[in-house]
């Protein structure tokens, strides 16, 4: 296939195509209509000039052989109907390669028909429409199809005039800028029955930004799809892509995903900031009693360190803050991620790409051939990745990885379920962190309330933890917090360091409850209790912790 966008680029460079027409051409192409028809209408050039230009940039012959001898056996391959429909003429055949004169080399249908249905290799040359018609008449002995320009300019911008596009673009850019200002992590464009709702995710909560009139639904979506090079015409299947913008001097990667819903397509943008500054583990909320053992794990030359939690629980941030502490001058540190979320000087970062089949497992094997000391694996999702990762840890590498489980003990059962050998876990696993993100409260205006000790007694993991007498509540706001008492987030953590007893349980493939109570017995403070203590210290409020308390039936086993 020839890249149609390449032609548009070249035409833009020649100043014969403006931006609006370029976007409209992409829309025409995405809808499967003839782009040659479109260009003939919009360009100041005539057909011979356009085709000569295409012939030049794609090194494709322009068929002009007046003495050409018709080969009627070619009719078997492509009959008059197909020829007229696809605007192609079969010229000759060599082996399984068919030489075809075409009006529109970008026609997807052409390629599908010739290469997949006829199972032939196509060699294309361009042909002028008048030559096409005369050759067609000679080959099929019937009157040639006429070339009618497409009647309606359907362009993927319903009811949108070209001059309006600029305005839409400004409005959309404004939304992105405001989201970036407010430190949003995601932007949701949600089609409602008679409106478009835009919400930002800030500090983990979805907050309404603005409602827009219904007409913006399709316009914003089309624009976002063009930026991220998605198919505008495809509105029934989910798609994903990305684009970059520099907003307020900061370069931001936008990950784009679309989802067809009842009232239109929903688009979610995830913002990835390139120059995001990294916090220390302490700033993330690791308290002294957890920080010290965790940092000693970082000083070991090999082993496996896992960070667990659900999506958006801050796992990557913790992993990167840990990497930041390592000696990046003398160690070879390599990461493999999907997507790369932070940029850290002195380390090498690799992006997983499913479309190019660069999976975690394959990437990891490639990394291992490059003499790494420390490896960070964005996420262990499958058995293959898990096995390569644990082998790497066993053979003298320090390996960091994240895992999608709800708590530290759950990571062990999850890996065993994936098929990782118990001895691999016991011989490599240095520590497992599990975490959640909670909102911070302004300590200057926070109020306090007395704690319900009977309620808390039920959740106390071990008798040696003291039950707090009081908890912070959200205050009214004060000048110190500029009257936003809940601002920013911190982590609540638990750290499981397997001991001999734990090793035995792993070898026996013990249950989740057994692993969990053994970890607590051995000194692991569950992350929800870390949260309870933080609420008592007015770092957060108790309502932020309630959702993370274990279900009652589960606590019975603790
Ligand atoms: Zn305050």
């Amino acid at each position: 296939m020839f890249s149609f966008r390449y032609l548009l680029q070249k035409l833009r460079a020649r100043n014969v195509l403006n931006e609006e027409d370029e976007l409209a051409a992409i829309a025409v192409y995405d809808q499967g209509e003839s782009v040659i028809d479109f260009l003939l209408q919009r360009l100041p050039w005539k057909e011979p000039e356009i085709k000569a230009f295409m012939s030049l940039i794609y090194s494709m012959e322009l068929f002009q052989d007046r003495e050409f001898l018709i080969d009627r056996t070619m009719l078997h391959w492509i009959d008059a109907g197909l020829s007229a429909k696809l605007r192609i003429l079969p010229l000759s055949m060599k082996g399984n390669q068919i030489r075809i004169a075409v009006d529109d080399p970008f026609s997807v249908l052409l390629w599908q028909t010739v290469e997949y249905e006829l199972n032939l290799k196509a060699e294309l040359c361009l042909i002028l429409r008048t030559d096409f018609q005369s050759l067609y008449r000679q080959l099929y002995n019937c009157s040639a199809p006429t070339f009618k320009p497409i009647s309606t300019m359907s362009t993927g911008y319903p009811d949108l005039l070209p001059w309006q596009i600029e305005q839409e673009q400004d409005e959309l850019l404004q939304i992105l800028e405001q989201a970036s200002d407010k430190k949003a992590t995601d932007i949701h464009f949600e089609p409602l029955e008679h409106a478009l709702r835009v919400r930002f995710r800030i500090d983990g909560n979805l907050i309404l930004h603005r409602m827009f009139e219904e007409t913006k639904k399709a316009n914003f979506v089309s624009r976002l799809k063009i930026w991220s090079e998605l198919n505008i015409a495809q509105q029934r299947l989910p798609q994903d892509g990305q684009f970059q913008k520099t907003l307020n001097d900061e370069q931001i990667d936008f990950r784009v995903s679309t989802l067809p819903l009842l009232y239109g397509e929903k688009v979610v943008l995830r913002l990835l900031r390139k120059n995001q500054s990294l916090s220390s583990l302490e700033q993330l909320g690791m308290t002294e009693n957890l920080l010290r053992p965790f940092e000693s794990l970082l000083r070991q030359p090999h082993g496996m360190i896992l960070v667990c939690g659900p999506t958006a629980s801050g796992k990557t941030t913790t992993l990167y803050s840990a990497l930041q502490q390592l000696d990046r001058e003398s160690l070879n540190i390599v990461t493999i991620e999907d997507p790369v979320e932070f940029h850290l000087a002195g380390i090498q970062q690799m992006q997983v790409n499913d479309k190019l089949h660069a999976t975690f497992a394959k990437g990891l094997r490639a990394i291992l051939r490059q003499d790494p000391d420390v490896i960070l694996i964005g996420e262990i999702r499958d058995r293959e990745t898990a096995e390569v990762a644990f082998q790497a840890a066993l053979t003298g590498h320090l390996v960091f990885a994240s895992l999608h489980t709800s708590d530290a003990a759950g990571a062990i059962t999850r890996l065993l379920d994936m098929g990782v050998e118990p001895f691999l876990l016991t011989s490599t696993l240095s520590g497992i962190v599990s975490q959640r993100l909670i909102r911070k409260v302004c300590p200057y205006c926070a109020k306090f309330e007395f704690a319900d000790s009977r309620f808390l007694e039920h959740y106390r993991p071990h008798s040696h933890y003291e039950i707090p007498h009081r908890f912070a509540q959200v205050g009214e706001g004060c000048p110190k917090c500029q009257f936003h008492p809940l601002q920013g987030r911190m982590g609540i953590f638990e750290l499981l360091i397997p001991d001999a007893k734990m090793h035995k349980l792993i070898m026996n493939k013990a249950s989740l409850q057994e692993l969990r109570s053994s970890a607590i017995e051995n000194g692991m403070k569950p992350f929800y209790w870390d949260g309870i203590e933080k609420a008592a210290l007015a770092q957060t409020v108790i309502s932020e912790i309630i959702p993370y308390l274990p279900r009652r039936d589960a606590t019975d086993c603790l």
Side-chain angles (χ1 to χ4, degrees):
M1 289 276 306
F2 297 92
S3 160
F4 169 55
R5 285 178 198 241
Y6 181 67
L7 172 64
L8 297 181
Q9 259 174 35
K10 292 286 174 186
L11 290 171
R12 290 267 284 155
R14 291 277 174 123
N15 283 324
V16 288
L17 185 75
N18 62 28
E19 195 192 350
E20 283 159 30
D21 283 346
E22 182 187 12
L23 297 176
I26 293 172
V28 167
Y29 176 73
D30 284 344
Q31 284 174 335
E33 293 181 37
S34 166
V35 290
I36 304 293
D37 285 342
F38 179 83
L39 292 176
L40 281 171
Q41 282 190 342
R42 296 291 176 100
L43 292 189
W45 289 352
K46 295 264 181 299
E47 192 202 352
E49 290 168 296
I50 297 175
K51 295 242 165 112
F53 186 67
M54 285 165 60
S55 158
L56 177 78
I57 64 167
Y58 293 113
S59 309
M60 193 180 350
E61 184 198 343
L62 181 58
F63 182 83
Q64 282 172 319
D65 187 357
R66 309 277 169 212
E67 313 279 287
F68 182 71
L69 283 176
I70 295 283
D71 177 359
R72 288 197 181 275
T73 61
M74 297 308 295
L75 269 67
H76 300 305
W77 290 105
I78 292 168
D79 64 16
L82 192 59
S83 165
K85 183 177 157 204
L86 300 177
R87 298 176 182 181
I88 62 177
L89 287 171
L91 299 176
S92 60
M93 184 79 136
K94 212 190 271 171
N96 77 331
Q97 180 161 319
I98 188 166
R99 187 159 171 254
I100 301 173
V102 300
D103 171 55
D104 178 357
F106 308 113
S107 157
V108 178
L109 202 58
L110 181 165
W111 291 96
Q112 273 174 358
T113 311
V114 177
E115 302 223 312
Y116 294 99
E117 289 174 27
L118 299 176
N119 201 17
L120 297 171
K121 263 191 83 67
E123 182 203 340
L124 301 193
C125 57
L126 291 163
I127 189 166
L128 295 180
R129 291 179 167 186
T130 48
D131 289 341
F132 180 95
Q133 286 169 322
S134 84
L135 210 54
Y136 182 94
R137 277 191 293 268
Q138 292 176 49
L139 189 61
Y140 297 108
N141 271 330
C142 59
S143 58
T146 51
F147 289 92
K148 271 187 285 176
I150 37 180
S151 50
T152 53
M153 294 316 296
S154 53
T155 59
Y157 307 107
D159 312 321
L160 192 63
L161 298 169
W163 57 266
Q164 283 181 305
I165 295 177
E166 283 303 309
Q167 196 194 333
E168 302 293 343
Q169 175 164 342
D170 288 348
E171 221 163 4
L172 197 52
L173 272 175
Q174 232 175 43
I175 297 175
L176 302 191
E177 257 166 24
Q178 286 159 343
S180 147
D181 279 348
K182 294 185 171 171
K183 305 273 174 255
T185 51
D186 306 79
I187 310 174
H188 293 233
F189 293 88
E190 301 166 306
L192 308 179
E193 192 176 359
H194 298 298
L196 173 75
R197 181 170 67 186
V198 178
R199 291 194 288 174
F200 294 165
R201 189 175 290 282
I202 301 169
D203 290 340
N205 294 324
L206 266 181
I207 292 162
L208 177 67
H209 171 60
R210 250 189 86 177
M211 300 291 280
F212 288 92
E213 57 190 346
E214 200 177 357
T215 53
K216 305 280 186 201
K217 276 193 214 171
N219 303 340
F220 281 173
V221 171
S222 299
R223 170 60 61 175
L224 289 167
K225 282 173 147 184
I226 288 167
W227 280 345
S228 34
E229 301 202 351
L230 300 179
N231 186 335
I232 301 180
Q234 176 55 273
Q235 296 171 358
R236 301 221 173 99
L237 291 174
Q239 300 183 62
D240 63 284
Q242 57 173 307
F243 63 88
Q244 282 186 352
K245 290 266 175 238
T246 304
L247 303 172
N248 313 322
D249 295 329
E250 187 188 12
Q251 199 187 346
I252 300 180
D253 277 355
F254 290 87
R255 298 271 154 169
V256 184
S257 63
T258 73
L259 189 67
L261 296 174
L262 187 57
Y263 299 118
E265 281 179 286
K266 170 168 177 168
V267 183
V268 176
L269 307 184
R270 164 148 283 198
L271 284 71
L272 300 174
R273 293 173 174 82
K274 294 228 154 162
N275 307 322
Q276 199 160 317
S277 58
L278 277 168
S279 309
S280 67
L281 291 165
E282 209 170 349
Q283 286 164 331
L284 295 181
M286 276 200 188
T287 44
E288 192 62 26
N289 59 7
L290 189 134
L291 193 59
R292 248 180 294 121
F294 185 63
E295 284 181 334
S296 73
L297 298 182
L298 301 181
R299 285 192 290 271
Q300 291 176 359
H302 51 81
M304 170 68 80
I305 297 172
L306 293 171
V307 177
C308 307
T311 307
S313 55
K315 301 187 287 283
T316 312
T317 312
T318 302
L319 286 167
Y320 264 88
S321 301
L323 279 194
Q324 195 178 221
Q325 296 210 351
L326 302 179
D327 181 358
R328 283 170 275 154
E329 293 242 327
S330 65
L331 291 172
N332 180 11
I333 305 176
V334 192
T335 77
I336 175 164
E337 301 167 80
D338 178 28
V340 172
E341 289 180 44
F342 293 95
H343 289 248
L344 184 59
I347 67 170
Q348 282 131 55
Q349 299 169 293
M350 179 177 171
Q351 167 97 43
V352 166
N353 190 331
D354 285 337
K355 283 177 193 139
L356 297 178
H357 304 290
T359 59
F360 275 112
K362 278 188 189 162
L364 201 48
R365 287 205 184 90
I367 286 170
L368 283 168
R369 290 191 284 270
Q370 297 226 322
D371 184 29
D373 297 302
V374 180
I375 305 166
L376 184 152
I377 300 158
E379 192 185 338
I380 295 181
R381 292 178 192 161
D382 52 76
R383 177 183 183 159
E384 203 186 349
T385 310
E387 276 175 352
V388 189
F390 277 91
Q391 284 295 345
L394 190 67
T395 50
H397 303 94
L398 184 59
V399 182
F400 292 86
S402 86
L403 200 63
H404 199 109
T405 63
S406 60
D407 72 348
I412 294 173
T413 50
R414 177 81 203 282
L415 289 163
L416 290 172
D417 286 346
M418 269 188 196
V420 178
E421 292 295 332
F423 85 90
L424 269 180
L425 293 185
T426 55
S427 44
T428 59
L429 210 47
S430 314
I432 309 172
V433 171
S434 179
Q435 67 175 89
R436 297 290 185 277
L437 287 178
I438 50 160
R439 284 186 292 175
K440 291 196 277 193
V441 70
C442 169
Y444 297 98
C445 57
K447 293 186 245 165
F448 281 90
E449 69 166 21
F450 286 106
D452 176 348
S453 60
R454 272 188 47 187
F455 169 76
L456 284 172
E457 178 61 48
H458 197 83
Y459 292 102
R460 178 156 67 157
H462 196 283
S463 55
H464 59 236
Y465 294 116
E466 253 180 66
I467 292 183
H469 299 297
R470 53 176 210 167
F471 288 125
Q473 288 272 65
V474 187
E476 311 264 301
C478 67
K480 288 262 190 197
C481 60
Q482 293 174 327
F483 298 91
H484 288 96
L486 280 176
Q487 238 185 102
R489 285 190 293 176
M490 73 191 307
I492 50 178
F493 302 91
E494 67 188 19
L495 172 63
L496 188 162
I497 296 179
D499 61 345
K501 192 178 164 208
M502 180 69 75
H503 285 168
K504 220 168 160 185
L505 289 172
I506 293 173
M507 293 309 286
N508 294 332
K509 299 197 176 178
S511 71
L512 182 59
Q513 272 74 21
E514 286 176 282
L515 291 166
R516 199 183 276 149
S517 11
S518 168
I520 289 171
E521 201 60 44
N522 186 35
M524 180 186 84
K525 184 193 292 174
F527 59 79
Y528 60 84
W529 199 262
D530 185 33
I532 295 267
E533 292 182 350
K534 280 172 171 145
L537 293 169
Q539 292 173 353
T540 185
V541 289
I542 189 72
S543 56
E544 286 289 301
I545 310 302
I546 302 285
Y548 301 125
L549 292 176
R551 289 211 329 269
R552 282 188 174 229
D553 52 333
T555 58
D556 296 339
C557 315
L558 294 179

